[in-house]
């Protein structure tokens, strides 16, 4: 058995959280992946994974082996990609994480522009609504929306997203139109559960940014689902324009409280500081920044 291939298989299984997920990622059968991991454990003489009916757990030996194997695989990958980059070729793997709705609607078209310029780069894109740690989870680049935490990561502003309050015409007909943020407490509001400061929306009132809290009638961890719920008349929603405006164009949503400015959200690229940044990562960052600056312009 090829040891490097076995390392790659073991890593894929752990990162995917299952043998089936690792098999899909590698394009292999479940049986082949399971066999490779079992033979690797046999050769090493230790149990790497503790298997239960519901999930896999790394053993202490498995955790140690994963960290070492990942380091070796990454160094080999960097070496091979670097040789190509010395010849003027941009190639290799890039792992990128972004929020789900932003990734689907905004990021994928930008990645298409990158792929056209650099077809030899293999992109691994993970779209999910959670705060990803690029260092701990081996991401080259992370898209982060909203306020940034203090960290050792480099942050580069990609764009700003206008925010609006939206409601369906049917909702406003049934519950009335709010004319001031003070009235939110009397309305049915839909809340994005991953918002760090709890159920509240911020408006510029009398020259000052003020936060207005409310009791939501529904919470959800996905912005697209909340926009759909609002479009069906379930309540008011506070969302980026890229989610709300397509529904406005269809007549399913309208703006509410537009007399009160809502601060835009910043969208940032986060990445670790490196002594030598790979050319492929530099190229991706430049492509994304150029794409979104042109779109905003």
């Amino acid at each position: 058995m090829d040891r490097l291939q076995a390392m790659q298989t073991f890593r894929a299984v752990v990162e995917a959280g299952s043998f089936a997920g690792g098999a899909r990622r590698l394009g292999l059968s479940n049986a082949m992946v399971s066999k490779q991991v079992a033979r690797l454990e046999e050769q090493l003489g230790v149990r790497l994974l503790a298997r239960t009916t519901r999930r896999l757990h790394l053993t202490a030996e498995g955790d140690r082996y994963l960290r070492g194997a990942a380091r070796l695989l990454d160094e080999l990958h960097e070496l091979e990609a670097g040789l190509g980059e010395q010849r003027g070729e941009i190639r290799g793997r890039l792992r990128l994480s972004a929020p789900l709705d932003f990734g689907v609607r905004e990021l994928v078209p930008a990645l298409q522009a990158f792929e056209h310029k650099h077809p030899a780069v293999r992109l691994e894109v993970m779209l999910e609504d959670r705060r990803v740690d690029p260092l701990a989870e081996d991401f080259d680049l992370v898209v982060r929306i909203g306020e940034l935490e203090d960290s050792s990561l480099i942050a580069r502003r990609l764009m700003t997203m206008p925010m609006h309050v939206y409601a369906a015409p049917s909702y406003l007909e049934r519950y009335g139109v709010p004319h001031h943020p003070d009235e939110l407490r009397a309305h049915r509001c839909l809340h994005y559960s991953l918002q760090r400061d709890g159920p509240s929306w911020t408006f510029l009132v009398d020259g000052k940014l003020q936060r207005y809290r409310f009791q939501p009638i529904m919470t959800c961890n996905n912005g697209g689902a909340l926009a759909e719920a609002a479009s069906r008349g379930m309540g008011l929603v506070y969302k980026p324009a890229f989610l709300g405006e397509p529904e406005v164009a269809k007549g399913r949503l309208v703006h509410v409280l537009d007399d009160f400015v809502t601060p835009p959200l910043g969208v940032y690229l986060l990445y670790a500081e490196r002594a030598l940044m790979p050319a492929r990562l530099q190229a991706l960052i430049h492509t994304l920044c150029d794409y979104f600056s042109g779109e905003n312009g």
Side-chain angles (χ1 to χ4, degrees), residues 11 47 79 107 113 121 138 157 173 189 192 202 213 240 275:
R11 182 182 188 179
R47 177 66 67 85
L79 174 62
L107 184 61
V121 176
D138 189 33
R157 183 184 288 270
E173 182 178 347
C189 297
Y192 182 57
T202 302
R213 298 195 174 275

Side-chain angles (χ1 to χ4, degrees), residues 96-153:
L96 172 64
S97 170
L100 177 59
D101 292 312
F102 181 84
V104 171
R105 300 180 185 232
E106 301 290 314
L107 184 61
V108 168
L111 294 180
Q112 180 186 24
F114 176 79
E115 189 272 338
H116 283 171
K117 295 179 182 177
H118 308 291
V121 176
R122 180 165 58 90
L123 295 172
E124 294 184 7
V125 184
M126 306 294 286
L127 301 181
E128 48 191 339
D129 292 330
R130 66 181 181 89
R131 299 184 77 83
V132 171
D133 183 342
L135 296 177
E137 301 180 57
D138 189 33
F139 282 105
D140 298 292
L141 197 62
V142 168
V143 177
R144 180 71 47 80
I145 298 175
E147 295 182 7
L148 299 178
E149 302 170 337
D150 291 334
S151 74
S152 60
L153 299 172

